[in-house]
Amino acid sequence: MAHSIVIGAGMVGLATAWHLQERGVEVTVIDRAGVAAGSSWGNAGWLTPGKAIPLADPSLWTYGPTALLDPDAALHVPLRVDVNLWSFLARFAAHGTRRAWDATMAALTPIDKIALGCFDELSAGGVQAWTREGPFVIGFAQPSDATAFLREIEGARRHGQDVPLTPLDDPRELCPILSERATAAYRLDGQRFLEPGPYLEALGESVVERGANLRVGAAVTTVVGGPHPAVVLATGERLEADSVVVATGAWLPKLARGLGVRTRVQAGRGYSFTVKTDVPVEHPLYLPKQRIACTPYQGRFRIAGTMEFRRPDEPPQPRRIQAIVNQVRELLTGVDLDDRHDEWVGSRPVTPDGLPLVGATRSPGVFVGGGHGMWGIVLGPATGKMLAKQIVTGEVDPTIAPFDPLR
């Protein structure tokens, strides 16, 4: 039986392991911390292919400079000498054109279209965790604030996605915690959400129950390709397999640099916390102008936001949590923003061109899966399915062809 080592126990890594098992491959999953220890645990849990769109768009040229001067802005870049960071930002900004947006959206649309079906496949295969239909509530302080969001939705539709969006007569019809300051809202259908931590735990349990060896607390320092691909752990232990998959999120460059993967992966850190609400909230809420996503989570309400470009292992910045609080305080009511639980920071793996890195590297037998930016949760299962197909058959599915990690 063929054997594969998957490095990383987030959504992409575990989904790849699950689909390798579907194809009869024995799997070892290695993670330095544990299941969902990276950006998979504390995100908003949105399964929204209709919103899995390029991060860089023409508005970046007006929003970006303003955000740098606003301590409460969703985008945050530390003002310090960091050649690698500023080089990444220059390349990222270069993709903030309509032409680049359309090219990236065209490449993302095929995997967006199959994303939700891949969750159904995991469920049918025994993963004991739910995904739930919306609707999602999209709220604005005033109708004119919706212009940019509507343009994004129209862009996704133009590229072939079905994204049902309907104005709400009463912004509080589906989301009673919206305050009177929110004067316009829409309902977004055709999307789902989940609870990220419990879902990843269930996916990890399924992989183990199907025979995988899950090793946590094991840091991989080196990946070796060739006739006998292998990984070397920090302890000096060497493990060989028929293939190796690097799915380490924002930490991917540490192992991928020697594999011919030249596209930079920058940590775009997001923050979240949970709060109590006076009335139960059943539906996710998005505040596009503030770039804040909110989701019901285990009886509380998770509020997530910020794109902070720092190194992935830097300490959390409490000011980023406060920025989120400042942005939502006037738009929410019946929410205790001062009694916050589960404060969290996670590093999303962002690429300059907005496309993931999925496929074979220059080292024989070594593959990567990562670079999904904000969309690793929703696109993870589809990525894992197509990457497993490539590993076992050698065939690159058209769905992931644009994500060639050697581009």
Side-chain angles (χ1 to χ4, degrees), residues 136 138 157 163-169 174 185-189:
F136 286 64
I138 318 299
R157 288 172 171 165
V163 192
L165 188 69
T166 309
L168 290 171
D169 293 332
L174 296 175
Y186 294 77
R187 63 174 289 164
L188 175 65
D189 289 289

Side-chain angles (χ1 to χ4, degrees), residues 21-337:
Q21 291 174 318
E22 284 288 278
R23 291 180 173 271
V25 178
E26 181 182 348
V27 177
T28 297
V29 179
I30 302 175
D31 196 281
R32 65 174 186 167
V35 170
S39 61
S40 290
W41 185 86
N43 63 84
W46 284 20
L47 309 183
T48 51
K51 279 292 295 166
I53 61 177
L55 292 178
D57 64 27
S59 70
L60 183 66
W61 293 98
T62 52
Y63 173 74
T66 303
L68 291 177
L69 301 176
D70 181 358
D72 289 338
L75 177 64
H76 180 73
V77 181
L79 297 178
R80 64 188 183 196
V81 177
D82 187 331
V83 174
N84 288 332
L85 172 59
W86 292 102
S87 173
F88 166 84
L89 290 173
R91 296 177 188 179
F92 182 78
H95 286 86
T97 67
R98 178 56 53 195
R99 181 177 180 180
W101 193 96
D102 279 320
T104 302
M105 190 70 239
L108 288 171
T109 295
I111 197 168
D112 285 350
K113 286 184 173 182
I114 68 170
L116 296 183
C118 289
F119 281 90
D120 294 335
E121 191 170 351
L122 291 175
S123 179
V127 176
Q128 298 295 309
W130 54 262
T131 67
R132 190 168 297 165
E133 296 280 350
F136 286 64
V137 178
I138 318 299
F140 303 92
Q142 52 194 6
S144 60
D145 289 344
T147 301
F149 175 78
L150 295 176
R151 185 169 58 243
E152 291 175 351
I153 295 297
E154 181 54 36
R157 288 172 171 165
R158 189 173 68 251
H159 284 274
Q161 290 203 56
D162 180 21
V163 192
L165 188 69
T166 309
L168 290 171
D169 293 332
D170 178 4
R172 282 151 289 282
E173 176 185 340
L174 296 175
C175 191
I177 64 170
L178 275 174
S179 74
E180 296 295 332
R181 293 292 298 271
T183 64
Y186 294 77
R187 63 174 289 164
L188 175 65
D189 289 289
Q191 322 294 308
R192 305 184 201 172
F193 66 99
L194 50 71
E195 293 181 340
Y199 190 94
L200 267 292
E201 290 291 341
L203 180 54
E205 289 170 4
S206 178
V207 169
V208 170
E209 288 170 359
R210 288 150 56 103
N213 178 20
L214 174 62
R215 297 188 57 170
V216 299
V220 175
T221 59
T222 307
V223 177
V224 180
H228 303 287
V231 303
V232 180
L233 305 184
T235 59
E237 182 181 2
R238 179 187 176 97
L239 303 174
E240 292 189 353
D242 298 291
S243 60
V244 174
V245 179
V246 182
T248 51
W251 292 267
L252 189 145
K254 290 184 177 181
L255 297 176
R257 286 194 187 98
L259 307 174
V261 180
R262 296 185 297 174
T263 299
R264 182 168 177 79
V265 176
Q266 169 64 45
R269 306 202 312 174
Y271 288 75
S272 73
F273 52 87
T274 65
V275 294
K276 180 182 178 182
T277 59
D278 290 349
V279 296
V281 181
E282 298 181 6
H283 306 296
L285 169 67
Y286 183 38
L287 303 173
K289 189 171 181 63
Q290 293 74 23
R291 292 171 167 81
I292 289 174
C294 311
T295 314
Y297 186 82
Q298 298 189 330
R300 293 173 64 82
F301 200 50
R302 174 170 281 176
I303 300 178
T306 292
M307 178 63 75
E308 178 192 46
F309 288 124
R310 287 182 181 267
R311 289 183 288 273
D313 289 317
E314 288 191 48
Q317 305 295 308
R319 184 62 184 82
R320 295 292 88 218
I321 293 285
Q322 189 59 49
I324 296 173
V325 171
N326 293 346
Q327 288 278 15
V328 301
R329 193 177 289 278
E330 291 190 350
L331 289 172
L332 300 182
T333 185
V335 176
D336 190 348
L337 292 168

